[in-house]
Amino acid sequence: MPKPESFPIEKIFVPTKQKKAIKPETVAEIAESMLDIGQQEPISVRLDGDRLVLVEGLHRLEACKALGETTILGVLVPAELAQPKPQLAERPEVEAERVKMARLKQLRLEKEAAEASTAALKSAGATEAARTRPTKGVRDTPKASPGRTAGSARQSLSDWITQQKGSGGRY
């Protein structure tokens, strides 16, 4: 680990995402501790052009500012290693909960897709059934008129009436 050195506080840039995470009560506790025993843990900074960017130690930096310090102990880390430490991913139960929630989301999306597919099929089936229904006045049973079967040849109207009278059918 590199040796801690003193950095001017005004030259340290704090990214906006980190600024949003400031907890005033934590800053106050660290400031009190620094008054009693001094800074125990150095902050981590990286070079970005001619400025220093805070990597880790936001509350320690804010505590030093609150105490009126002009410098702070820190360690210069290379940009490749300047990834902030994951806070929640270290605990296995948090990772397990994240995996569980991702799985539940996947199952919900699959269920919604299946329901949408079923609804689309039902809708398409109803449309198809409406298309295959016989038109009004057309009979769909072959026994509708004994003289008119699928294989019979066309006959004249008078022949058909004669046939209907002979078989007792209506005309």
Side-chain angles (χ1 to χ4, degrees):
M1 176 156 176
K3 185 178 176 187
E5 52 186 290
S6 183
F7 294 102
I9 291 177
E10 77 256 0
K11 297 229 183 223
I12 299 174
F13 171 75
V14 180
T16 307
K17 276 186 174 180
Q18 287 185 11
K19 283 182 184 177
K20 292 179 182 179
I22 293 176
K23 296 179 184 171
E25 58 277 357
T26 305
V27 172
E29 288 175 18
I30 292 173
E32 282 184 37
S33 172
M34 284 182 171
L35 282 174
D36 292 339
I37 58 175
Q39 182 182 352
Q40 299 297 304
E41 185 78 25
I43 64 169
S44 298
V45 293
R46 67 177 173 84
L47 276 175
D48 183 28
D50 60 341
R51 71 179 180 178
L52 297 167
V53 178
L54 181 70
V55 174
E56 187 178 31
L58 174 66
H59 290 98
R60 285 170 275 166
L61 178 66
E62 292 300 319
C64 281
K65 283 182 186 178
L67 293 173
E69 297 288 329
T70 57
T71 61
I72 188 170
L73 283 177
V75 176
L76 189 62
V77 295
E80 301 85 38
L81 302 175
Q83 298 299 322
K85 292 180 184 175
Q87 299 293 323
L88 298 176
E90 294 174 1
R91 299 192 327 236
E93 64 272 6
V94 173
E95 182 64 20
E97 184 69 17
R98 187 190 65 74
V99 169
K100 177 182 165 187
M101 294 306 290
R103 180 69 182 138
L104 287 174
K105 181 180 179 183
Q106 180 66 30
L107 289 172
R108 181 180 50 82
L109 292 174
E110 289 173 2
K111 179 182 175 187
E112 288 173 0
E115 288 172 352
S117 175
T118 303
L121 286 175
K122 284 182 181 177
S123 173
T127 305
E128 186 62 32
R131 284 191 208 138
T132 59
R133 284 190 194 129
T135 58
K136 188 172 183 177
V138 176
R139 295 184 180 156
D140 56 2
T141 57
K143 66 178 186 169
S145 67
R148 289 260 184 184
T149 57
S152 70
R154 292 195 71 60
Q155 41 183 288
S156 67
L157 181 58
S158 60
D159 291 338
W160 180 78
I161 292 173
T162 307
Q163 183 183 2
Q164 290 296 316
K165 284 182 183 177
S167 66
R170 271 182 46 190
Y171 59 86

